[in-house]
Coordinates of all heavy atoms in Angstrom, one line a residue:
E423 N -24.2 0.4 3.9 CA -23.1 0.1 4.9 C -22.5 -1.2 4.8 O -22.0 -1.9 5.7 CB -23.8 0.2 6.4 CG -24.2 1.7 6.7 CD -24.5 1.9 8.1 OE1 -24.1 1.0 8.9 OE2 -24.9 2.9 8.5
I424 N -22.4 -1.7 3.5 CA -21.7 -2.9 3.2 C -20.2 -2.7 3.4 O -19.7 -1.7 3.1 CB -21.9 -3.3 1.7 CG1 -23.5 -3.4 1.4 CG2 -21.2 -4.5 1.3 CD1 -24.1 -4.6 2.1
I425 N -19.5 -3.8 3.9 CA -18.0 -3.7 4.1 C -17.4 -4.8 3.5 O -18.0 -5.8 3.2 CB -17.7 -3.6 5.6 CG1 -18.2 -4.9 6.3 CG2 -18.3 -2.3 6.3 CD1 -17.7 -5.0 7.8
A426 N -16.1 -4.7 3.2 CA -15.3 -5.8 2.6 C -14.0 -5.9 3.4 O -13.5 -5.0 4.0 CB -15.0 -5.4 1.2
G427 N -13.4 -7.1 3.3 CA -12.1 -7.4 4.0 C -11.1 -8.0 3.1 O -11.3 -8.4 2.0
D428 N -9.9 -8.1 3.7 CA -8.8 -8.8 3.1 C -8.4 -9.9 4.0 O -8.0 -9.6 5.1 CB -7.7 -7.8 2.8 CG -6.4 -8.4 2.0 OD1 -6.1 -9.5 2.4 OD2 -5.9 -7.8 1.1
G429 N -8.3 -11.2 3.6 CA -7.9 -12.2 4.4 C -6.5 -12.8 4.2 O -6.3 -13.9 4.5
S430 N -5.6 -12.0 3.7 CA -4.3 -12.5 3.3 C -3.5 -12.7 4.6 O -3.1 -11.7 5.3 CB -3.6 -11.5 2.4 OG -4.3 -11.2 1.2
A431 N -3.2 -13.9 5.0 CA -2.4 -14.2 6.2 C -1.0 -13.6 6.1 O -0.5 -13.2 7.2 CB -2.3 -15.7 6.4
S432 N -0.4 -13.5 4.9 CA 0.9 -13.0 4.8 C 1.1 -11.5 5.3 O 2.2 -11.1 5.6 CB 1.4 -13.1 3.4 OG 0.5 -12.3 2.5
T433 N 0.0 -10.8 5.3 CA 0.0 -9.4 5.7 C 0.6 -9.2 7.1 O 1.3 -8.2 7.4 CB -1.4 -8.7 5.6 OG1 -2.0 -9.0 4.4 CG2 -1.3 -7.2 5.9
L434 N 0.4 -10.2 8.0 CA 0.9 -10.1 9.4 C 2.4 -10.1 9.4 O 3.0 -9.4 10.2 CB 0.4 -11.2 10.2 CG 0.8 -11.3 11.6 CD1 0.2 -10.2 12.5 CD2 0.5 -12.6 12.3
W435 N 3.0 -11.0 8.7 CA 4.5 -11.3 8.9 C 5.4 -11.2 7.7 O 6.6 -11.2 8.0 CB 4.5 -12.8 9.5 CG 3.8 -13.7 8.6 CD1 2.5 -14.1 8.7 CD2 4.3 -14.4 7.4 NE1 2.1 -15.0 7.8 CE2 3.2 -15.3 6.9 CE3 5.5 -14.5 6.7 CZ2 3.4 -16.0 5.8 CZ3 5.6 -15.2 5.6 CH2 4.6 -16.0 5.1
D436 N 5.0 -11.1 6.6 CA 5.8 -11.2 5.4 C 6.3 -9.9 4.9 O 5.6 -9.0 4.5 CB 5.0 -11.9 4.2 CG 6.0 -12.4 3.1 OD1 7.1 -12.1 3.2 OD2 5.4 -13.0 2.2
I437 N 7.6 -9.7 5.0 CA 8.3 -8.4 4.5 C 9.7 -8.9 4.0 O 10.7 -8.5 4.6 CB 8.3 -7.3 5.6 CG1 9.0 -6.1 5.0 CG2 8.8 -7.8 6.8 CD1 8.9 -4.9 5.9
R438 N 9.7 -9.6 3.0 CA 10.9 -10.3 2.5 C 12.0 -9.3 2.0 O 13.2 -9.7 2.0 CB 10.6 -11.3 1.5 CG 9.6 -12.4 1.9 CD 9.3 -13.3 0.9 NE 8.1 -14.1 1.1 CZ 7.7 -15.2 0.5 NH1 8.4 -15.5 -0.6 NH2 6.6 -15.9 0.8
D439 N 11.6 -8.2 1.5 CA 12.6 -7.3 0.8 C 13.2 -6.3 1.8 O 13.9 -5.4 1.3 CB 11.9 -6.6 -0.4 CG 10.7 -5.9 0.1 OD1 10.2 -6.1 1.2 OD2 10.2 -5.1 -0.8
W440 N 13.0 -6.4 3.1 CA 13.4 -5.3 4.0 C 14.9 -5.2 4.1 O 15.4 -4.1 4.2 CB 12.8 -5.6 5.4 CG 13.4 -6.7 6.2 CD1 13.0 -8.0 6.2 CD2 14.5 -6.6 7.1 NE1 13.7 -8.7 7.0 CE2 14.6 -7.9 7.6 CE3 15.3 -5.6 7.6 CZ2 15.7 -8.2 8.6 CZ3 16.3 -5.8 8.5 CH2 16.4 -7.2 9.0
T441 N 15.7 -6.2 4.0 CA 17.2 -6.1 4.1 C 17.8 -5.4 2.9 O 18.8 -4.7 3.1 CB 17.8 -7.5 4.2 OG1 17.4 -8.3 3.1 CG2 17.4 -8.2 5.5
T442 N 17.1 -5.4 1.8 CA 17.6 -4.7 0.7 C 17.2 -3.2 0.8 O 18.0 -2.3 0.4 CB 17.0 -5.3 -0.7 OG1 17.4 -6.6 -0.8 CG2 17.4 -4.4 -1.9
L443 N 15.9 -2.9 1.2 CA 15.4 -1.6 1.4 C 16.1 -0.8 2.6 O 16.4 0.4 2.4 CB 13.9 -1.6 1.6 CG 13.1 -2.1 0.4 CD1 11.6 -2.3 0.9 CD2 13.2 -1.2 -0.7
Y444 N 16.5 -1.6 3.6 CA 17.1 -1.0 4.8 C 18.3 -1.7 5.2 O 18.4 -2.3 6.3 CB 16.0 -1.0 6.0 CG 14.6 -0.4 5.6 CD1 13.5 -1.3 5.5 CD2 14.5 0.9 5.2 CE1 12.3 -0.9 5.1 CE2 13.2 1.4 4.9 CZ 12.1 0.5 4.8 OH 10.9 1.0 4.5
P445 N 19.3 -1.6 4.4 CA 20.6 -2.4 4.7 C 21.2 -1.9 6.1 O 21.9 -2.7 6.7 CB 21.5 -2.1 3.6 CG 21.0 -0.8 2.9 CD 19.5 -0.9 3.1
D446 N 21.0 -0.7 6.5 CA 21.6 -0.1 7.7 C 20.9 -0.7 9.0 O 21.4 -0.5 10.1 CB 21.6 1.4 7.7 CG 22.4 2.1 6.6 OD1 23.4 1.4 6.2 OD2 22.1 3.2 6.4
H447 N 19.8 -1.4 8.8 CA 19.1 -2.0 9.9 C 19.1 -3.5 9.9 O 18.3 -4.1 10.5 CB 17.6 -1.5 9.9 CG 17.4 0.0 10.0 ND1 17.3 0.5 11.3 CD2 17.4 1.0 9.2 CE1 17.2 1.9 11.2 NE2 17.3 2.2 9.9
A448 N 20.1 -4.0 9.3 CA 20.2 -5.5 9.2 C 20.3 -6.1 10.5 O 19.8 -7.3 10.7 CB 21.4 -5.9 8.3
D449 N 20.8 -5.5 11.5 CA 21.0 -6.1 12.8 C 19.9 -5.9 13.7 O 19.7 -6.7 14.6 CB 22.3 -5.5 13.5 CG 23.6 -6.0 12.8 OD1 23.5 -7.0 12.0 OD2 24.6 -5.3 12.9
D450 N 19.1 -4.9 13.5 CA 17.9 -4.7 14.5 C 16.5 -4.9 13.9 O 15.6 -4.8 14.6 CB 18.0 -3.2 15.0 CG 18.0 -2.1 13.9 OD1 18.2 -2.5 12.8 OD2 17.7 -1.0 14.2

Side-chain angles (χ1 to χ4, degrees):
E423 295 197 6
I424 301 295
I425 62 172
D428 183 317
S430 305
S432 61
T433 306
L434 176 72
W435 50 269
D436 196 354
I437 178 173
R438 303 182 193 185
D439 53 349
W440 71 271
T441 53
T442 301
L443 294 172
Y444 309 113
D446 294 340
H447 293 270
D449 291 341
D450 58 343

